[in-house]
Amino acid sequence: MKRVLLILISASVIISCSGGKKSSGKPGMRGELVPREKSKSFVAERPYGMVAIPGGSFIMGLADEDMTNTPEKAPLTTVTVSSFFMDETETTNAEYRVFINYVRDSIARTLLAEAAGDGGGNGNGAGIADYAYLSKKADNQTPYQEYLESQGGRDGYDESKRLDWSVPLHWTTADYPDVQYAEVLESMYLPKAERINNERVIDTRKLKYSFQWEDVESAVKDKSRGTKYLKKESIAVYPDTTVWIKDFNYAYNEPLYDGYFWHSAYKNYPVVGVTWDQARAYCNFKSKLKSDYNESLKKRKQKPMAFRLPTEAEWEYAARGGLDNATYPWGGPYLIDDRGCYLANFKPKRGTYIEDEKKGTYTYTAPVKQFPKNGYGLYDMAGNVSEWTESPYNNSTYLFSSTLNPYLSNQAYKEVRKVVRGGSWKDVGYMLMTGYRDWERKDSARSYIGFRTVQDIPEGTAKFKRKTK
């Protein structure tokens, strides 16, 4: 009986597998497993103001004579780096002010939304009620937002606290719509008792940017992922304008102290007085700005790769501009061209910060793009201001780090000393060499240290697409 039953079961299996004519897949698939994504190659969109650095290998380190015998010198090593986008110039005052203004506006809008309560305005900024959270404005709520509000938000982000950025802010006192609005906005300014010459200015101590990032190293060790590995930070992001005085106690630098960051005359000059953490906060803001834009499109784009600081290896590779054994970003061992003009902004002689205006020298920093770019299209990879990198400083870094995209994991944020590269306006020519290493404490702000950002390019990218203005 059992044998007859087995034969019947086998026959039914054969009939069910071979008797039908319909495909188990969707029409046109012929029963095959075929991905539904388009087969077109991925094209990376080049971000505005950045250039593509093709991946490759190079000999990392100071190959030229080390006249000072400094411990920063490390043994030569051959490493490989992947492709990435890099800012063609150092981050300027104008670019960093966009960040500052965003932080200022977001704090002001949050204070106004809290004071607005349930809202009820017409949405054009005629009263404080117009600045209520979007969740208080029924017409702007999606079913998903209504659900989240009923659940009390979600971990890490409360959808009910979304700000309505479409309502204009009024910063001129004559345009304040009502008394409540005036009370909230005035809390953003220095108290009268702390003002100099009764000048009404924003209290920069309140300009803090909050963000979070994933501690990947700890998550990998625990073989897990989750919110417990998120690191939350709130960083005061306004540059330290006192660096022009602190760095040079016996020099008259008061004009720079008073206006270098905010004056329009310096808008295209590299931002200085920013710490390593402030530079990281700027990178996070830049990533958020692009991500929010992609989300706002009707046809949503893929989430962009994050912006970040370059690693030490990436910075040196980019500085060499595709040249082997490049002493300086322009290649040769000389600091002037065939016309006698300087190729970078640095200190040419002892006590001489500006030798001759015709030779293109500057007393302090110079506007970006004033000197020739290197082979990759990057400006000021030598001189002007030194630049923060992502990498922690260690004399033996080259000995124990990987030769493929050298990096010391995201635990590097715990290390106090960070590598800075490129030399600055106050340094002699030797410190401008592509292989020269230096470092600074990550909580230090200097009048000669700035930064630029990079963005990864996926390995599967077929080509780069120029971003239109």
Side-chain angles (χ1 to χ4, degrees), residues 214-261:
E214 185 180 5
D215 183 358
V216 177
E217 183 73 8
S218 298
V220 170
K221 286 182 179 179
D222 295 344
K223 299 180 180 179
S224 176
R225 296 192 71 173
T227 56
K228 69 177 182 178
Y229 299 105
L230 291 177
K231 301 290 184 180
K232 300 180 180 180
E233 297 188 55
S234 181
I235 297 174
V237 292
Y238 198 84
D240 184 0
T241 58
T242 67
V243 293
W244 293 103
I245 306 298
K246 292 190 296 186
D247 290 345
F248 306 96
N249 289 326
Y250 302 104
Y252 176 67
N253 291 333
E254 274 74 1
L256 296 168
Y257 162 75
D258 287 334
Y260 181 83
F261 176 64

Coordinates of all heavy atoms in Angstrom, one line a residue, residues 214-261:
E214 N 27.1 57.1 12.7 CA 27.2 55.7 13.2 C 28.6 55.2 13.6 O 29.5 55.4 12.8 CB 26.6 54.7 12.1 CG 26.5 53.3 12.6 CD 26.0 52.4 11.5 OE1 25.8 52.8 10.4 OE2 25.8 51.2 11.8
D215 N 28.8 54.7 14.7 CA 30.0 54.1 15.1 C 30.2 52.8 14.5 O 29.9 51.7 15.1 CB 30.1 54.1 16.7 CG 31.4 53.6 17.2 OD1 32.3 53.3 16.4 OD2 31.6 53.5 18.4
V216 N 30.7 52.7 13.3 CA 30.8 51.5 12.5 C 31.7 50.5 13.2 O 31.5 49.3 13.2 CB 31.2 51.8 11.1 CG1 31.3 50.5 10.3 CG2 30.2 52.7 10.4
E217 N 32.8 51.0 13.7 CA 33.8 50.1 14.3 C 33.3 49.3 15.4 O 33.4 48.1 15.5 CB 35.0 51.0 14.8 CG 36.2 50.2 15.4 CD 37.0 49.5 14.3 OE1 36.8 49.7 13.1 OE2 37.9 48.6 14.7
S218 N 32.5 49.9 16.3 CA 31.9 49.2 17.4 C 30.8 48.2 17.0 O 30.7 47.1 17.5 CB 31.3 50.2 18.4 OG 32.3 51.0 19.0
A219 N 30.0 48.7 16.0 CA 29.0 47.8 15.4 C 29.6 46.5 14.8 O 29.1 45.4 15.0 CB 28.2 48.6 14.4
V220 N 30.7 46.7 14.1 CA 31.4 45.5 13.4 C 31.9 44.6 14.5 O 31.8 43.3 14.4 CB 32.5 46.0 12.5 CG1 33.3 44.8 12.0 CG2 31.9 46.7 11.3
K221 N 32.5 45.1 15.6 CA 33.0 44.3 16.6 C 31.9 43.5 17.3 O 32.1 42.3 17.7 CB 33.7 45.1 17.7 CG 35.1 45.7 17.2 CD 35.7 46.5 18.3 CE 37.1 47.0 17.9 NZ 37.8 47.8 18.9
D222 N 30.7 44.1 17.4 CA 29.6 43.4 18.1 C 28.8 42.6 17.1 O 27.8 41.9 17.5 CB 28.7 44.4 18.8 CG 29.4 45.1 19.9 OD1 30.4 44.7 20.4 OD2 28.9 46.2 20.4
K223 N 29.1 42.7 15.8 CA 28.4 42.0 14.8 C 26.9 42.3 14.8 O 26.0 41.5 14.8 CB 28.6 40.4 14.9 CG 30.0 40.0 14.8 CD 30.1 38.5 14.9 CE 31.5 38.0 14.8 NZ 31.7 36.5 14.9
S224 N 26.7 43.6 14.9 CA 25.3 44.1 15.1 C 25.2 45.5 14.5 O 26.2 46.1 14.2 CB 24.9 44.1 16.5 OG 23.6 44.6 16.7
R225 N 24.0 46.0 14.4 CA 23.7 47.3 14.0 C 22.5 47.8 14.7 O 21.6 47.0 15.1 CB 23.5 47.5 12.4 CG 24.7 47.1 11.6 CD 24.5 47.5 10.2 NE 24.5 49.0 10.0 CZ 24.5 49.6 8.8 NH1 24.5 48.9 7.7 NH2 24.6 50.9 8.7
G226 N 22.4 49.1 14.9 CA 21.2 49.6 15.6 C 21.5 51.0 16.1 O 22.5 51.6 16.0
T227 N 20.4 51.6 16.8 CA 20.5 53.0 17.3 C 21.5 53.1 18.4 O 22.0 54.2 18.7 CB 19.1 53.4 17.8 OG1 18.6 52.5 18.8 CG2 18.2 53.5 16.6
K228 N 21.9 52.0 19.1 CA 22.8 52.2 20.2 C 24.2 52.5 19.7 O 25.1 52.9 20.5 CB 22.8 50.9 21.0 CG 23.4 49.7 20.3 CD 23.5 48.5 21.3 CE 24.1 47.2 20.6 NZ 24.2 46.1 21.6
Y229 N 24.5 52.4 18.4 CA 25.8 52.7 17.9 C 25.8 54.1 17.3 O 26.8 54.5 16.7 CB 26.2 51.7 16.8 CG 26.3 50.3 17.4 CD1 25.3 49.4 17.1 CD2 27.4 49.9 18.2 CE1 25.4 48.1 17.6 CE2 27.4 48.7 18.7 CZ 26.5 47.7 18.4 OH 26.5 46.5 18.9
L230 N 24.7 54.9 17.4 CA 24.7 56.2 16.9 C 25.3 57.2 17.9 O 25.0 57.1 19.1 CB 23.2 56.7 16.6 CG 22.5 56.0 15.5 CD1 21.1 56.5 15.4 CD2 23.3 56.3 14.2
K231 N 26.2 58.0 17.4 CA 26.9 59.0 18.3 C 26.2 60.4 18.0 O 26.2 60.8 16.8 CB 28.4 59.1 18.0 CG 29.1 57.8 18.2 CD 29.2 57.5 19.7 CE 30.1 56.3 19.9 NZ 30.2 55.9 21.3
K232 N 25.7 61.0 19.0 CA 25.0 62.3 18.8 C 25.9 63.4 19.3 O 26.5 63.3 20.4 CB 23.7 62.3 19.5 CG 22.7 61.2 19.1 CD 21.4 61.2 19.8 CE 20.5 60.1 19.3 NZ 19.2 60.2 20.0
E233 N 26.0 64.5 18.5 CA 26.9 65.6 18.8 C 26.1 66.9 18.6 O 25.3 67.0 17.7 CB 28.2 65.6 18.0 CG 29.0 64.3 18.2 CD 30.4 64.5 17.5 OE1 31.1 65.5 17.8 OE2 30.7 63.6 16.7
S234 N 26.5 67.9 19.4 CA 26.0 69.2 19.2 C 27.2 70.2 19.3 O 27.8 70.3 20.4 CB 24.9 69.6 20.3 OG 24.4 70.9 20.1
I235 N 27.5 70.8 18.2 CA 28.8 71.6 18.1 C 28.5 73.0 17.8 O 27.7 73.4 16.9 CB 29.7 70.9 17.0 CG1 30.0 69.5 17.4 CG2 30.9 71.8 16.8 CD1 30.8 68.8 16.3
A236 N 29.2 73.9 18.6 CA 29.1 75.3 18.3 C 30.0 75.6 17.1 O 31.1 75.2 17.0 CB 29.7 76.1 19.5
V237 N 29.3 76.1 16.0 CA 30.0 76.1 14.7 C 30.5 77.4 14.2 O 31.2 77.5 13.2 CB 29.0 75.5 13.6 CG1 28.7 74.1 13.9 CG2 27.7 76.3 13.6
Y238 N 30.3 78.5 15.0 CA 30.8 79.8 14.5 C 32.3 79.8 14.6 O 32.9 79.4 15.7 CB 30.2 80.9 15.4 CG 30.4 82.3 14.7 CD1 29.4 82.7 13.7 CD2 31.4 83.1 15.0 CE1 29.5 83.9 13.1 CE2 31.5 84.4 14.4 CZ 30.6 84.8 13.5 OH 30.7 86.0 12.8
P239 N 33.0 80.3 13.6 CA 34.5 80.3 13.6 C 35.1 81.1 14.8 O 34.4 82.1 15.2 CB 34.9 80.9 12.3 CG 33.7 80.7 11.4 CD 32.5 80.8 12.3
D240 N 36.2 80.8 15.3 CA 36.9 81.5 16.3 C 37.6 82.7 15.7 O 38.7 82.5 15.1 CB 37.8 80.6 17.1 CG 38.5 81.4 18.3 OD1 38.2 82.6 18.5 OD2 39.3 80.8 19.0
T241 N 37.1 83.9 15.7 CA 37.7 85.0 15.0 C 38.8 85.6 15.8 O 39.6 86.4 15.3 CB 36.6 86.1 14.8 OG1 36.0 86.5 16.1 CG2 35.5 85.6 13.9
T242 N 39.0 85.2 17.1 CA 40.1 85.7 17.9 C 41.4 85.0 17.5 O 42.5 85.4 18.1 CB 39.8 85.4 19.4 OG1 39.8 84.0 19.7 CG2 38.5 86.0 19.8
V243 N 41.4 84.1 16.6 CA 42.7 83.4 16.3 C 43.7 84.4 15.7 O 44.9 84.1 15.8 CB 42.4 82.2 15.3 CG1 41.6 81.1 16.0 CG2 41.7 82.7 14.0
W244 N 43.2 85.4 15.0 CA 44.2 86.4 14.4 C 45.0 87.1 15.5 O 46.0 87.6 15.2 CB 43.4 87.4 13.5 CG 42.8 86.7 12.3 CD1 41.5 86.4 12.1 CD2 43.5 86.3 11.2 NE1 41.3 85.8 10.9 CE2 42.6 85.8 10.3 CE3 44.8 86.4 10.8 CZ2 42.9 85.3 9.0 CZ3 45.2 85.9 9.5 CH2 44.2 85.3 8.7
I245 N 44.4 87.2 16.7 CA 45.1 87.8 17.8 C 45.9 86.8 18.6 O 47.1 87.0 19.0 CB 44.2 88.6 18.7 CG1 43.3 89.5 17.9 CG2 44.9 89.3 19.8 CD1 44.1 90.6 17.2
K246 N 45.3 85.6 18.9 CA 45.9 84.6 19.7 C 47.2 84.0 19.0 O 48.1 83.7 19.7 CB 44.9 83.5 20.0 CG 43.8 83.9 21.0 CD 43.0 82.8 21.4 CE 42.2 82.1 20.3 NZ 41.3 81.0 20.8
D247 N 47.1 83.8 17.7 CA 48.2 83.2 17.0 C 49.4 84.1 16.9 O 50.5 83.7 16.7 CB 47.8 82.7 15.6 CG 46.8 81.5 15.7 OD1 46.8 80.9 16.7 OD2 46.2 81.2 14.7
F248 N 49.1 85.5 17.0 CA 50.2 86.4 16.8 C 50.0 87.6 17.8 O 49.4 88.6 17.6 CB 50.1 87.0 15.4 CG 50.2 86.0 14.3 CD1 49.0 85.5 13.7 CD2 51.4 85.5 13.9 CE1 49.0 84.5 12.7 CE2 51.4 84.5 12.9 CZ 50.2 84.0 12.3
N249 N 50.5 87.3 19.0 CA 50.4 88.2 20.1 C 51.0 89.6 19.9 O 50.6 90.6 20.5 CB 50.9 87.6 21.4 CG 50.0 86.5 21.9 OD1 48.8 86.5 21.8 ND2 50.7 85.5 22.5
Y250 N 52.1 89.6 19.1 CA 52.8 90.9 19.0 C 52.7 91.4 17.5 O 53.7 92.0 17.0 CB 54.3 90.6 19.3 CG 54.4 90.2 20.8 CD1 54.7 88.8 21.0 CD2 54.3 91.0 21.8 CE1 54.8 88.4 22.3 CE2 54.4 90.6 23.1 CZ 54.7 89.3 23.4 OH 54.8 88.8 24.7
A251 N 51.5 91.3 17.0 CA 51.3 91.8 15.6 C 49.9 92.5 15.6 O 49.0 92.1 16.3 CB 51.3 90.6 14.6
Y252 N 49.8 93.5 14.7 CA 48.6 94.2 14.6 C 47.7 93.5 13.6 O 47.8 93.8 12.4 CB 48.8 95.7 14.2 CG 47.6 96.5 14.0 CD1 46.7 96.8 15.0 CD2 47.2 96.9 12.7 CE1 45.5 97.5 14.8 CE2 46.1 97.6 12.5 CZ 45.2 97.9 13.5 OH 44.1 98.6 13.3
N253 N 46.8 92.6 14.1 CA 45.9 91.9 13.2 C 44.4 92.2 13.5 O 43.5 91.5 13.1 CB 46.2 90.4 13.3 CG 47.5 90.0 12.7 OD1 48.0 90.7 11.8 ND2 48.1 88.9 13.2
E254 N 44.2 93.3 14.2 CA 42.8 93.7 14.6 C 41.9 93.8 13.4 O 40.7 93.4 13.6 CB 42.8 95.0 15.4 CG 43.1 94.8 16.9 CD 44.5 94.4 17.2 OE1 45.4 94.4 16.3 OE2 44.9 94.2 18.4
P255 N 42.3 94.3 12.3 CA 41.3 94.4 11.1 C 40.8 93.0 10.7 O 39.6 92.9 10.4 CB 42.2 95.0 10.0 CG 43.2 95.8 10.7 CD 43.5 95.0 11.9
L256 N 41.7 92.0 10.8 CA 41.2 90.6 10.4 C 40.3 90.1 11.6 O 39.4 89.3 11.3 CB 42.4 89.7 10.2 CG 43.3 90.1 9.0 CD1 44.6 89.4 9.0 CD2 42.6 89.9 7.7
Y257 N 40.7 90.4 12.8 CA 39.9 89.9 13.9 C 38.5 90.5 13.8 O 37.5 89.8 14.1 CB 40.6 90.4 15.2 CG 39.7 90.4 16.4 CD1 39.3 89.2 17.1 CD2 39.2 91.6 17.0 CE1 38.5 89.3 18.2 CE2 38.4 91.7 18.1 CZ 38.1 90.5 18.7 OH 37.3 90.5 19.8
D258 N 38.3 91.7 13.4 CA 37.1 92.4 13.3 C 36.2 92.0 12.1 O 35.0 92.0 12.2 CB 37.3 94.0 13.2 CG 37.7 94.5 14.5 OD1 37.4 93.9 15.6 OD2 38.4 95.6 14.5
G259 N 36.8 91.7 11.0 CA 36.0 91.5 9.8 C 36.4 90.3 8.8 O 35.7 90.2 7.8
Y260 N 37.4 89.5 9.1 CA 37.8 88.5 8.1 C 36.6 87.6 7.8 O 36.5 87.2 6.6 CB 39.0 87.7 8.7 CG 39.5 86.7 7.7 CD1 40.3 87.0 6.6 CD2 39.1 85.3 7.8 CE1 40.8 86.1 5.7 CE2 39.5 84.4 6.8 CZ 40.3 84.8 5.8 OH 40.8 83.8 4.9
F261 N 35.9 87.1 8.7 CA 34.9 86.1 8.4 C 33.6 86.7 7.8 O 33.1 86.2 6.8 CB 34.5 85.3 9.7 CG 33.4 84.3 9.4 CD1 33.6 83.3 8.5 CD2 32.1 84.5 10.0 CE1 32.6 82.3 8.3 CE2 31.1 83.6 9.8 CZ 31.3 82.5 8.9

